[in-house]
Amino acid sequence: MEKHLEYNTALVTGATSGIGKAITKRLLQLGMNVVAVGRNEEKLEALKSEFDHHTKLFVIQANVSKQQEIESAVKQAETQFGSVDVLVNNAGKMGSSRILEGETSDWDDMIDINIKGLLYGVDAVVGAMVNKQKGHIVNICSDSGFEVIERLSVYCATKFSVRAISIGLEKELANTGVRVSNISPGMVETGLSANSPFEENRKKLEPKDIANAVAYAISQPSYVNVNEITVRPS
Ligand SMILES: NC(=O)c1ccc[n+]([C@@H]2O[C@H](COP(=O)([O-])OP(=O)(O)OC[C@H]3O[C@@H](n4cnc5c(N)ncnc54)[C@H](OP(=O)(O)O)[C@@H]3O)[C@@H](O)[C@H]2O)c1
């Protein structure tokens, strides 16, 4: 365990690939119980097999954009490990997003997963955290939460929303013992960014680089709230 890590259990959404999988691995390395949430059953089974030596991993199938499913996932996590101390809201979608292209079903998905799914996750854990005066909510935002890229207008709108939610939540939770960290990656090598244009000779971030930022944020002394971390390729 890291020196100041005072949490036992984390629930990570979108844990079956990319950044979420790297966060799952890093938190297991820190000695935490990790509840890994994803939608795709095969990917969940693959995650279980990959970490089968880890008795602290518990896998749950749930769609974050369905409020009852994420509430049920949190209840199962509490039954398994006693409490959820850290929620990592990582599940996300970057779909076709130019407003003029009018791909409204992609817009609905991005709003449902990136904004509503994140809020449902917060709602499912925050009451118990406030009662215990201990907990940490980590929202995986994006550099798209700071600047709008023309081909990604709607995706950027969802990530601006994530940042607004993180800032508002941090204010609402000030002095409650519950901390909020908004972590904003630039381009990371994952399936989500596979088709995004990027400079030929510039190295993208690796998922573990974002997992390290999460580990840093949650292992500070309890009087320290790391609100925003932005990590970009150099
Ligand atoms: N990659 C980048 O360059 C980059 C940059 C900035 C920010 N981000 C953010 O980082 C986060 C993770 O992205 P990634 O690059 O790791 O993408 P990824 O490899 O595509 O992984 C996305 C994960 O989210 C899960 N997921 C999607 N919709 C879900 C839902 N409704 N319910 C539950 N799980 C769901 C997927 O699981 P299933 O397949 O099982 O549904 C998958 O595990 C996202 O929020 C993304 O916006 C990524």
Side-chain angles (χ1 to χ4, degrees):
M1 286 257 179
E2 301 222 330
K3 197 167 169 216
H4 291 291
L5 189 58
E6 52 179 71
Y7 305 126
N8 296 318
T9 301
L11 186 148
V12 181
T13 69
T16 51
S17 58
I19 294 169
K21 189 170 166 183
I23 294 170
T24 297
K25 190 174 174 184
R26 184 76 181 92
L27 299 187
L28 286 169
Q29 281 168 355
L30 289 182
M32 296 185 76
N33 304 313
V34 180
V35 179
V37 172
R39 276 180 310 190
N40 181 300
E41 207 166 327
E42 279 172 21
K43 283 163 73 179
L44 285 165
E45 284 305 319
L47 186 76
K48 258 205 272 189
S49 315
E50 191 173 335
F51 295 100
D52 64 351
H53 54 292
H54 273 289
T55 52
K56 293 187 161 196
L57 177 68
F58 185 57
V59 164
I60 298 177
Q61 185 181 24
N63 181 342
V64 297
S65 60
K66 302 249 163 53
Q67 188 174 11
Q68 283 175 341
E69 291 190 20
I70 193 70
E71 276 176 359
S72 160
V74 168
K75 286 204 177 83
Q76 289 175 64
E78 288 168 345
T79 305
Q80 181 74 12
F81 292 125
S83 65
V84 173
D85 308 314
V86 177
L87 169 67
V88 184
N89 272 316
N90 165 77
K93 169 172 174 153
M94 185 174 78
S96 174
S97 173
R98 284 189 89 239
I99 294 166
L100 294 186
E101 282 167 7
E103 297 282 352
T104 55
S105 71
D106 268 336
W107 303 350
D108 287 342
D109 277 354
M110 285 188 278
I111 291 165
D112 285 349
I113 298 168
N114 301 0
I115 305 176
K116 289 165 75 176
L118 179 139
L119 281 170
Y120 294 152
V122 171
D123 186 60
V125 299
V126 77
M129 287 180 176
V130 169
N131 284 341
K132 277 199 323 180
Q133 298 183 305
K134 187 168 124 177
H136 207 128
I137 292 165
V138 179
N139 292 330
I140 303 301
C141 185
S142 173
D143 59 356
S144 299
F146 290 84
E147 51 198 306
V148 178
I149 303 157
E150 187 195 309
R151 70 186 165 80
L152 294 178
S153 299
V154 177
Y155 176 73
C156 292
T158 66
K159 292 298 185 177
F160 269 63
S161 298
V162 169
R163 198 155 67 88
I165 291 164
S166 295
I167 293 168
L169 200 51
E170 187 270 321
K171 291 182 177 175
E172 289 186 42
L173 289 169
N175 207 23
T176 62
V178 183
R179 297 182 277 179
V180 181
S181 299
N182 191 69
I183 299 190
S184 295
M187 188 77 81
V188 185
E189 184 79 63
T190 71
L192 179 137
S193 67
N195 298 320
S196 297
F198 197 60
E199 293 96 318
E200 221 171 76
N201 294 320
R202 195 172 172 199
K203 181 173 164 41
K204 291 181 182 177
L205 297 169
E206 295 178 23
K208 69 173 168 47
D209 301 319
I210 308 309
N212 286 337
V214 173
Y216 169 77
I218 65 169
S219 55
Q220 298 309 304
S222 60
Y223 66 92
V224 177
N225 191 356
V226 177
N227 294 142
E228 175 67 48
I229 301 180
T230 305
V231 188
R232 290 193 174 91
S234 61

